Amino acid sequence: MRDLAERAVDTAKSQGASYADCRIIFTKEETISTKNGNVGDLDIGEDIGFGVRVLADGAWGFACSPNVTATEIDKVAAEAVRIAKASARLKKGDVQLVSEPTVDERWQTPIAEDPFSVSLEDKLELLFSIDKVLRSDPRIKSAEGTLSFKDEHQWMATSEGSFIDQQLIRSGAGYAATAVGNNEVQVRSYPNSFRGQYMSLGYELIRSMKLLENADRVREEAIALLTAPTCPSGVRDIIIDGSQLGLQIHESVGHATELDRVLGMEANYAGMSFATTEKLNNFTYGSPIVNLVCDTTVPGGLATLGWDDDGVRAQRWHLVKNGKFVGYQFNRELAHTIGANRSSGNNRAMGWSHIPIVRITNLSLMPGEWELDNLLADTEGGLMMETNRCWSIDQWRLNFQFGVEAAWEIKGGKKGQILKNANYQGITPEFWGSCDAICNNNHWVLWGVHNCGKGQPGQTAEMSHGAAPTRFRNVKVGVGN
């Protein structure tokens, strides 16, 4: 693969490229799902191809192919250069890449058990066992479970002299029970909604998740929601669990600090951001206990890697430090727009057939000092909210509303009755400014987002958000109830 990747780079240079890189990618995936006692989806496949990205006459060109042969490499590399030269006729300025040291290294996701070595029979047995528990009460009308695994091996060569051999492996699992009755339809999921929890780990993740052990509780909570009181409307103190807070981080901090979005490169599709460049190092994003950190080195993160698709080594940096806005997520091309002398390493592509773009990486709210029981005891008249059900946020990443699967009232410092149809609303800096207590490392979990969409043509990317249960004061809840 190295010879072919370097051949693509050499061909592009011979055709007039000032910069070139080639990524050859082999991907193996397995997704198994069950629904109501039957196999739902069974998607097992392999894929290989390559993409060549070049700079010629100061503009980008990209071409790709599933045929990884020397002849096709030459053809596609030359095509990428022709596209770049054609694009240059409409450029506003030359693309500028900030420098990055060259490397010749290999990196692989550390795993304990290869998920593809576990038999399909064992995986189906686990899903059917969960399904049986969930549907043991007739009020559960739908039970769905999923196991998903991915192994992506990439060989990347650049005209600057780098060669990177990188293998990324991730596993995921989850299930949901839908209860129907009392003119209600209610859902509870485990360990998270939208197909569960995903991490850069092997099958050891699945064995550690206690999937079957939690099925009874999940079923009973779904049924309890059918007759539960509706979440009250008003202003309350709320404690948000880590899985819901992970999505809150993703939507109100992750996308808001993508520098391409800030600069308007996503304006006609996904919107822009309130976190404009004059606010960098000059804006209060949250309360003094709010520290939001990007980390492409954190173990288990879905965006944990050796290098991004610009050949930039993994790193760790603050976006928000002690409540102050101090950083962006960007690539080599955009570094100069904020005076940075190095990329933050956020350039990633979906497979071999897409050009890399700026993507959210692992972004986490750093843990505080509270035990959850102590935080509950310190909260009077509040609500605890758990597991995302739906969300909406405006194009500036300012005004948002999140709905959760379940909430519990907090009375006398303890969790009380379960509440249905709970939601909360806020404005990003005001919301993070109301954060006054964060649980400690004992409650901190790295939650995976495996389906973040962005770009035209659309691409999906994966990342993780670490969070522990966190309290926010005086938040508007029960909107629309």
Side-chain angles (χ1 to χ4, degrees), residues 147-458:
L147 293 172
S148 178
F149 309 97
K150 184 177 182 180
D151 181 341
E152 182 179 282
H153 195 164
Q154 174 170 297
W155 298 266
M156 176 181 178
T158 78
S159 58
E160 296 167 331
S162 287
F163 181 77
I164 298 168
D165 179 342
Q166 183 161 257
Q167 189 171 5
L168 306 178
I169 301 169
R170 68 107 169 107
S171 300
Y175 57 82
T178 302
V180 179
N182 196 34
N183 294 318
E184 287 282 348
V185 177
Q186 294 290 340
V187 178
R188 283 295 281 146
S189 306
Y190 182 82
N192 201 359
S193 49
F194 306 110
R195 295 199 163 193
Q197 166 71 320
Y198 288 67
M199 296 187 76
S200 288
L201 290 169
Y203 203 78
E204 66 272 16
L205 172 68
I206 310 304
R207 300 194 190 281
S208 71
M209 291 167 77
K210 298 183 177 179
L211 293 164
L212 185 57
E213 293 88 333
N214 279 277
D216 279 315
R217 176 183 62 79
V218 169
R219 179 195 65 230
E220 293 306 309
E221 287 182 358
I223 292 169
L225 285 167
L226 296 176
T227 53
T230 297
C231 174
S233 298
V235 175
R236 301 292 176 94
D237 297 337
I238 62 173
I239 297 173
I240 301 176
D241 86 305
S243 67
Q244 166 57 32
L245 194 56
L247 189 60
Q248 177 78 53
I249 293 168
H250 183 91
E251 300 295 346
S252 67
V253 184
H255 282 305
T257 56
E258 293 172 316
L259 188 53
D260 59 339
R261 172 189 283 265
V262 172
L263 296 176
M265 298 170 71
E266 286 277 308
N268 64 336
Y269 179 57
M272 297 183 67
S273 171
F274 74 93
T276 43
T277 53
E278 79 280 2
K279 293 186 177 73
L280 185 62
N281 299 313
N282 190 34
F283 180 73
T284 300
Y285 211 109
S287 70
I289 66 169
V290 172
N291 285 283
L292 291 150
V293 174
C294 290
D295 191 349
T296 44
T297 69
V298 60
L302 289 179
T304 297
L305 38 68
W307 296 266
D308 76 348
D309 290 337
D310 263 345
V312 177
R313 191 181 293 275
Q315 53 199 283
R316 183 179 189 273
W317 72 103
H318 276 81
L319 295 183
V320 176
K321 189 171 187 179
N322 300 328
K324 302 298 183 184
F325 174 43
V326 297
Y328 281 112
Q329 302 176 92
F330 53 97
N331 58 12
R332 292 179 65 185
E333 179 181 354
L334 299 182
H336 74 93
T337 66
I338 56 171
N341 58 16
R342 192 187 179 202
S343 165
S344 61
N346 286 83
N347 221 32
R348 291 190 289 154
M350 184 179 77
W352 51 266
S353 61
H354 290 76
I355 194 167
I357 57 176
V358 174
R359 301 310 306 254
I360 301 172
T361 188
N362 304 318
L363 168 60
S364 302
L365 176 65
M366 293 296 97
E369 299 177 347
W370 290 77
E371 290 292 344
L372 180 56
D373 287 345
N374 294 339
L375 183 57
L376 287 166
D378 188 66
T379 306
E380 286 291 337
L383 299 169
M384 183 160 186
M385 298 193 177
E386 187 175 295
T387 316
N388 182 262
R389 185 179 62 188
C390 61
W391 72 96
S392 174
I393 188 166
D394 71 11
Q395 64 172 346
W396 294 97
R397 300 285 143 174
L398 264 177
N399 296 280
F400 61 79
Q401 177 174 321
F402 287 87
V404 296
E405 289 186 354
W408 288 263
E409 63 178 356
I410 304 173
K411 272 190 173 182
K414 296 181 179 178
K415 276 177 75 173
Q417 66 178 336
I418 195 169
L419 304 171
K420 68 183 179 183
N421 303 336
N423 58 64
Y424 64 95
Q425 184 184 59
I427 298 173
T428 295
E430 293 178 6
F431 175 78
W432 286 105
S434 73
C435 175
D436 80 330
I438 306 171
C439 284
N440 61 28
N441 257 325
N442 295 331
H443 308 278
W444 194 88
V445 175
L446 203 55
W447 292 97
V449 174
H450 61 96
N451 56 355
C452 175
K454 185 180 177 182
Q456 290 178 294

